Amino acid sequence: MTEISRNERLVLLFLKSASRKVREDEISIDGVDGRGIASAISYLDRKGLISVEKSYDVRYEATEEAKRYSEKGLPEERALDLSRDGKISVSEIMESLGSQEGRIALAQLSKLGLKPRNGAIDIADTEKIRKILRERREALKSIISGSSTDSESIRHFLGRGGLLREEKKMIRIVSINSSGFDALSSTGDEESLDQLTTEMLETGSWKGKKFRRYDISMPVTPVNGAYYHPLTALIKTIREIFFDMGFTEMTGNYVESSFWNMDALFIPQDHSARDMQDTFYVDTNADEKDIPGDLEKRVRRIHERGFDGYKGWRYPWSESESRKLLLRTHTTASTARYLYEHNGPPVSVFSVERVFRHESVDWKHLAEFHQIEGAVYSREVNLSTLKWILSEFYKKLGFRNIKLIPSYYPYTEPSMDVVVLFNGKEIELGGSGIFRPEVGKILGLKAPAMAWGLGLERLAFLYYDLEDIRSIYNSDIEWLRRFTLKI
Ligand code: PHE
């Protein structure tokens, strides 16, 4: 037997006594509001107890502009009122109505046969036109007040654009069917109750009452739940790829010393990347304790004089320059710290973290972005293993056609950039290389180490097929909803 609620029963009774098709908004039941009725109708429909047809009510809502016209007069009416000596000049219309309404007025008047000649409109005989315009304004007023559905005027104003908004509302037309009659007779007159109240429990009046059973098989409308942001989803995928390959995740600081961001990586102190043009500096300096004294000595020695036949950069290294704090420009700063602080080989480590650069933002550049950093410190490290890891990583994300091209970084030799072909252009995804012996010496490495730093947003932009890297951060709700990777 189909269980029905009190509201459903009342709606069925209403339909029974109406004994015809009824518009949803015609149903009125004491003590049940419109929402209660609408939801009862939906349930009765799903239970197959009523027949439902859909029809659409179209209403026209006037915009602010239409309301203004109905009070002040239509632009074409106001233009006609400017006439002097049987003429109105175009420039006067534009001046008095402003260029936007002036243009509308001219277009409407010309449709009525009043076209400007030599910069003016001749309006010798315009009584008829004035009458048309008066009627037009009256029609607009009655559309606004909702008292007119004159289709010709509605078409006119819709065609002008910006004056009327069409509002379509779905109305259900319902009638009780034979299953509905059966349901009514089988539930009898006695209502089954929807709710058990505290009062019923206290007084015991629930005893002997009939309660409606929950129907847990009823379909419910799915709600828009929480999803990962596409970028977060991609980070998750990337982290899983590295975890699967046996990597450990590291974290670093947004604010870093020049020492770890540059000096420890053997970047000379006059290198252009240190420039204010490229790097955001912080006003304060790093704490002395932050940079181990013996390491500082080693960095000075290797920058100034090198070691074992490596010549160094041959300039006086400045301690105060290395203490300057900055917003890290690359996550290779974390790699340097990590390799210095951890024993190995072997070490394989990665991070997906934010970096900052003084860049002008455009379709493929951001000033704040993430790098997919990784490093392997092992006797197995060589150019082939580096190529293999990078291709393997991109392959797992679906990019088979990456290219590795020779490049230069002050801390790696050889160095390679990763590029992909995209819309006929080569897009650079990041850099990589095998650390130079000088870096190995500074960090105290006993075997070769390789590293890479790849742009996350550039990758996301290709992965999600975007036209502009900035759209990742635009929070366009439609775009976000397309990615339904559940949390
Ligand atoms: N740190 C480099 C960059 O930000 C990338 C890189 C990382 C290059 C590791 C070589 C080795 O562009």
Side-chain angles (χ1 to χ4, degrees), residues 235-468:
I235 293 178
K236 225 170 111 69
T237 311
I238 291 169
R239 292 177 68 219
E240 268 156 28
I241 292 176
F242 282 115
F243 286 135
D244 284 351
M245 295 206 273
F247 279 71
T248 304
E249 191 169 23
M250 64 179 170
T251 53
N253 309 316
Y254 286 180
V255 176
E256 190 49 278
S257 58
S258 298
F259 185 86
W260 284 112
N261 196 82
M262 323 257 194
D263 295 287
L265 287 166
F266 196 54
I267 301 179
Q269 293 188 328
D270 62 358
H271 192 272
S272 63
R274 302 224 189 200
D275 221 75
M276 300 281 254
Q277 297 304 317
D278 291 293
T279 301
F280 291 114
Y281 282 91
V282 175
D283 268 348
T284 41
N285 285 333
D287 203 273
E288 257 175 62
K289 294 192 298 280
D290 227 31
I291 301 161
D294 58 331
L295 180 61
E296 196 171 67
K297 277 202 205 100
R298 199 147 78 211
V299 165
R300 174 189 297 281
R301 180 161 48 84
I302 290 169
H303 274 243
E304 290 185 350
R305 287 178 277 127
F307 73 101
D308 281 358
Y310 295 101
K311 291 208 180 97
W313 296 118
R314 313 239 147 196
Y315 71 102
W317 185 80
S318 145
E319 193 178 275
S320 62
E321 189 62 37
S322 78
R323 296 246 165 98
K324 286 187 180 164
L325 286 177
L326 43 75
L327 295 182
R328 67 169 171 212
T329 58
H330 58 179
T331 39
T332 315
S334 312
T335 298
R337 264 185 194 273
Y338 194 93
L339 292 180
Y340 174 75
E341 283 165 9
H342 291 78
N343 286 329
V347 167
S348 21
V349 70
F350 82 99
S351 69
V352 185
E353 292 206 322
R354 201 177 280 262
V355 299
F356 308 84
R357 287 188 194 172
H358 200 180
E359 294 255 19
S360 23
V361 172
D362 64 25
W363 70 276
K364 59 170 184 171
H365 291 95
L366 294 168
E368 209 181 310
F369 58 96
H370 293 75
Q371 280 188 327
I372 307 161
E373 178 84 21
V376 176
Y377 166 33
S378 145
R379 295 188 208 290
E380 250 75 54
V381 162
N382 55 47
L383 198 56
S384 314
T385 41
L386 177 55
K387 277 183 174 170
W388 179 82
I389 283 225
L390 291 174
S391 342
E392 197 62 16
F393 168 70
Y394 282 107
K395 204 156 71 189
K396 285 181 199 269
L397 288 168
F399 295 95
R400 284 165 191 281
N401 290 320
I402 58 158
K403 251 182 20 186
L404 298 173
I405 56 171
S407 182
Y408 173 81
Y409 295 92
Y411 35 96
T412 48
E413 181 58 41
S415 307
M416 291 190 302
D417 278 345
V418 186
V419 296
V420 281
L421 208 65
F422 175 71
N423 285 347
K425 284 185 215 125
E426 279 193 345
I427 291 207
E428 203 187 295
L429 291 181
S432 68
I434 297 177
F435 281 126
R436 282 166 71 140
E438 291 92 332
V439 176
K441 185 80 180 170
I442 290 173
L443 302 177
L445 306 184
K446 300 187 281 290
M450 60 191 186
W452 52 89
L454 315 166
L456 173 72
E457 283 80 355
R458 289 265 178 99
L459 183 67
F461 154 91
L462 299 169
Y463 193 76
Y464 291 117
D465 202 14
L466 300 171
E467 310 241 299
D468 190 317

Side-chain angles (χ1 to χ4, degrees), residues 2-3 9 12 52 133 138 171 174 182 195 206 230 236 264 284 286-287 343 345 352 370 374 393 403 412 433:
T2 317
E3 293 270 341
R9 188 164 170 279
L12 280 183
V52 178
L133 294 186
E138 285 312 312
I171 294 284
V174 294
D182 289 350
Q195 268 182 23
W206 59 271
K236 225 170 111 69
T284 41
D287 203 273
N343 286 329
V352 185
H370 293 75
F393 168 70
K403 251 182 20 186
T412 48

Side-chain angles (χ1 to χ4, degrees), residues 155-173:
R155 208 168 330 119
H156 169 82
F157 288 114
L158 276 178
R160 292 174 69 141
L163 297 180
L164 300 180
R165 260 191 303 270
E166 198 180 75
E167 281 196 352
K168 248 184 173 178
K169 194 176 160 212
M170 197 264 286
I171 294 284
R172 290 177 292 189
I173 298 171

